[in-house]
Amino acid sequence: ITDADKVNLGNSLPTFFGALTNNFRYKNLSLEVMFRFQGGNKIMNITRQEALLSQNFHNNGVEIMNRWKQAGDVTDVPRLRYAQSATVNQTGAAISRFVETGDYVRLQNLVLSYNLGSKGLSEKTKGYVKNARIFAQGQNLFIMSKYSGLDPDNASQAGQDNAVSPSLRILSVGLSVGF
């Protein structure tokens, strides 16, 4: 492979992105939702490339189970040959096979709350507390994407997923009091 063989495999910057949010209310119950989305970008999944093509018998990806084993096998996963990473992986060169679309839709935030109002407060607190609200909140609850890595949102600015940490899923409950 020479420099003449190389081509641009895509842009790491999304061509569209945004969010949709809405509040639903019924009496004292409230549900707030926020979906985030982006797309039109490409991600070089180095994590997957290294897990599949590493020939040093380190933590391989599950794809390695489809590797070539004997004559007649039809697969796109090379056979295992100890200490042959540089030959198979071309010393870490970008391979179009591991460039994936970064499109996703994520449920970013979900809040379910109940407003106690002044009627839900005891007689002792009415002079001090104006309102109170009990809530449960979830962040990063799920993501819809064809991306095979952990999180298409956390690729580097250069569009590379090189063992990046995914966004944390956070669940919380609380009480909000207004004085």
Side-chain angles (χ1 to χ4, degrees):
I1 294 182
T2 67
D3 285 343
D5 296 316
K6 295 180 180 180
V7 296
N8 184 338
L9 297 176
N11 192 341
S12 63
L13 299 175
T15 56
F16 64 90
F17 56 89
L20 297 172
T21 185
N22 206 342
N23 296 326
F24 302 95
R25 296 188 194 282
Y26 178 74
K27 297 185 181 182
N28 290 349
L29 198 60
S30 174
L31 178 68
E32 302 170 34
V33 294
M34 177 187 175
F35 287 95
R36 276 190 33 233
F37 60 89
Q38 84 172 29
N41 61 316
K42 299 292 183 183
I43 299 171
M44 176 62 195
N45 195 339
I46 296 171
T47 306
R48 181 174 158 235
Q49 177 179 335
E50 291 298 321
L52 179 63
L53 299 182
S54 172
Q55 299 291 298
N56 295 324
F57 298 100
H58 298 170
N59 292 325
N60 291 104
V62 71
E63 287 177 87
I64 202 70
M65 301 302 287
N66 295 327
R67 71 186 181 275
W68 187 90
K69 296 173 194 141
Q70 60 190 1
D73 285 350
V74 179
T75 181
D76 61 351
V77 180
R79 71 180 175 149
L80 287 175
R81 294 180 60 196
Y82 184 70
Q84 294 295 313
S85 288
T87 305
V88 174
N89 199 9
Q90 301 172 6
T91 61
I95 301 171
S96 60
R97 171 183 184 176
F98 301 103
V99 175
E100 302 179 38
T101 181
D103 301 356
Y104 72 85
V105 174
R106 175 191 308 271
L107 178 54
Q108 183 70 42
N109 200 30
L110 181 72
V111 181
L112 179 63
S113 62
Y114 183 77
N115 187 0
L116 296 172
S118 61
K119 293 179 184 177
L121 302 173
S122 72
E123 291 298 322
K124 292 181 182 180
T125 61
K126 282 189 179 179
Y128 305 103
V129 178
K130 293 183 181 175
N131 57 44
R133 182 177 73 110
I134 299 170
F135 65 90
Q137 180 175 8
Q139 295 173 303
N140 298 318
L141 294 177
F142 71 86
I143 188 166
M144 295 178 289
S145 177
K146 292 183 180 179
Y147 181 65
S148 67
L150 291 176
D151 192 347
D153 198 22
N154 282 357
S156 73
Q157 189 175 10
Q160 298 175 343
D161 176 351
N162 195 358
V164 297
S165 297
S167 298
L168 295 176
R169 180 174 295 137
I170 301 170
L171 302 173
S172 56
V173 294
L175 173 65
S176 175
V177 179
F179 296 98

